[in-house]
């Protein structure tokens, strides 16, 4: 089904949307479907690069910066986004960081950085968004988690813990908010070709081969694969879904 202008009149916040990764692709897809969008990233310079791409799509687009190592910055971002847009219908909590390191070598700083940005800031962001949405009695929150939210990857233990925490947070939020009309779902990408993955996959071509061999559809995901799923969860097409984890991984998690 063509979803042209399906989100016209909706207002969205997409976090971590200034790179060439998943967030930018999601923001472009929401804008193509007619949504006004606040683009967030760590710096205005990054966020501005995506805002430029949205211009010409006939929607309002604004850039905002916030460093998610600080939970209060994530809360303030929601307020600022609401002020810019006038309302908040869709929040795509996408910003995140990853690290590969043997579990016994992880430092407190490693754990704090990954859990701080991925879990703590996302909890603060989505809680703040939920407070706003319950007042209007509608809204869709999409938490970009990972297939690693329930898989065991010893060299990404803290990353997996952050995504597993998000899954439980999102499910609890969904249960609490359901009666208010606000939905919360997790989106679980597999191996997607983005700046987060590129150093790992390009430094050692055999790693790319290994991932491809373990992926039944025999390719890496493209950010657009995740964008269409995010738009689905953001829209009324998924109106009977809440608390769900939608896997988009070419079958990688089957193995
Ligand atoms: N690429 C994959 O294979 C993959 C797989 C599963 C899940 N994910 C998840 O998808 C999301 C997007 O990742 P991506 O692959 O597009 O990578 P990416 O590195 O391109 O995007 C991450 C975004 O988060 C932002 N960010 C990082 N630290 C921040 C901070 N302290 N404050 C605010 N923003 C910060 C980055 O600037 C960037 O815009 C992440 O949550 C990631 O965990 C990615």
């Amino acid at each position: 089904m063509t979803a042209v202008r399906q989100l016209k009149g909706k207002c969205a916040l997409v976090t971590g949307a200034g790179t060439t990764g998943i967030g930018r692709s999601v923001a472009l897809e929401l804008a193509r479907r007619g949504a006004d969008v606040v683009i967030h990233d760590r710096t205005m310079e990054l966020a501005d690069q995506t805002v430029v791409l949205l211009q010409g799509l006939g929607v309002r687009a604004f850039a905002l910066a916030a460093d998610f190592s600080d939970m209060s910055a994530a809360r303030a971002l929601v307020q600022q986004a609401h002020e810019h847009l006038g309302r908040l219908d869709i929040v795509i909590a996408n910003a995140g960081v990853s690290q590969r390191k043997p579990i016994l070598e992880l430092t407190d700083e490693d754990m704090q950085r990954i859990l701080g940005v991925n879990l703590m800031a996302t909890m603060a962001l989505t809680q703040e968004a939920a407070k706003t949405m319950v007042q209007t009695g509608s809204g869709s929150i999409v938490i970009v988690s990972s297939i690693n939210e329930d898989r065991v990857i010893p060299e990404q233990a803290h990353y997996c813990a952050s995504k597993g925490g998000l899954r439980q947070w999102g499910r609890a939020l969904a249960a609490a908010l359901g009666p208010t009309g606000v939905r919360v779902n997790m989106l679980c990408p597999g191996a997607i070709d983005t700046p987060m993955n590129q150093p790992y996959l390009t430094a050692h071509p055999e790693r790319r081969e290994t991932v491809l061999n373990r992926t039944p559809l025999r390719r890496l995901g493209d950010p657009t694969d995740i964008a269409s799923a995010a738009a689905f969860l953001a829209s009324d097409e998924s109106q009977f879904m809440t608390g769900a984890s939608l896997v988009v991984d070419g079958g990688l998690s089957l193995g």
Side-chain angles (χ1 to χ4, degrees):
M1 158 190 160
T2 172
V4 178
R5 312 311 278 179
Q6 166 203 49
L7 297 177
K8 190 165 170 47
K10 301 287 186 188
C11 294
L13 165 63
V14 185
T15 69
T19 69
T20 57
I22 291 168
R24 172 179 290 176
S25 193
V26 171
L28 280 164
E29 186 60 31
L30 297 182
R32 282 191 202 103
R33 296 182 188 213
D36 296 327
V37 188
V38 161
I39 304 294
H40 154 269
D41 216 311
R42 281 174 289 126
T43 65
M44 285 300 273
E45 194 184 354
L46 277 170
D48 276 335
Q49 290 174 28
T50 298
V51 166
V52 167
L53 298 177
L54 265 61
Q55 285 164 355
L57 293 177
V59 299
R60 295 182 299 150
F62 306 96
L64 288 175
D67 183 347
F68 282 3
S69 48
D70 173 4
M71 286 173 81
S72 64
R75 287 191 191 283
L77 173 71
V78 174
Q79 300 308 328
Q80 290 160 16
H82 191 266
E83 281 162 23
H84 277 75
L85 295 167
R87 54 182 291 132
L88 208 48
D89 304 292
I90 297 164
V91 170
I92 313 288
N94 168 75
V97 282
S98 73
Q99 182 185 32
R100 285 171 195 271
K101 202 169 177 181
I103 191 165
L104 297 186
E105 293 175 18
L106 290 176
T107 64
D108 290 354
E109 289 70 29
D110 292 331
M111 296 184 209
Q112 265 157 3
R113 187 171 67 87
I114 300 295
L115 273 289
V117 173
N118 292 2
L119 180 59
M120 303 299 284
T122 303
M123 288 168 65
L125 179 100
T126 53
Q127 186 197 45
E128 205 62 31
K131 287 179 193 169
T132 301
M133 288 173 169
V134 295
Q135 287 171 21
T136 54
S138 66
S140 176
I141 296 172
V142 179
I143 296 175
V144 180
S145 176
S146 165
I147 55 169
N148 291 342
E149 70 176 23
D150 60 4
R151 295 168 87 220
V152 177
I153 315 283
E155 65 276 15
Q156 286 189 292
H158 53 339
Y159 178 81
C160 294
S162 73
K163 297 297 187 179
L166 280 182
R167 170 181 161 83
Q168 287 298 69
W169 169 259
R171 281 153 49 97
L173 204 55
L177 298 182
T180 73
V182 178
R183 298 185 299 114
V184 185
N185 288 289
M186 278 55 70
L187 179 52
C188 303
I192 314 298
D193 199 0
T194 71
M196 180 178 280
N197 262 341
Q198 279 149 6
Y200 174 76
L201 294 172
T202 52
H204 301 277
E206 71 279 5
R207 289 176 178 160
R208 179 179 284 262
E209 276 311 301
T210 304
V211 172
L212 291 180
N213 287 335
R214 286 178 45 215
T215 305
L217 292 183
R218 293 289 185 270
R219 68 172 175 88
L220 292 179
D222 186 85
T224 55
D225 294 314
I226 306 304
S228 49
F232 166 71
L233 290 177
S235 77
D236 288 344
E237 284 183 12
S238 61
Q239 61 185 308
F240 200 51
M241 288 178 70
T242 199
S245 287
L246 180 60
V247 171
V248 183
D249 71 345
L252 176 58
S253 57
L254 297 173

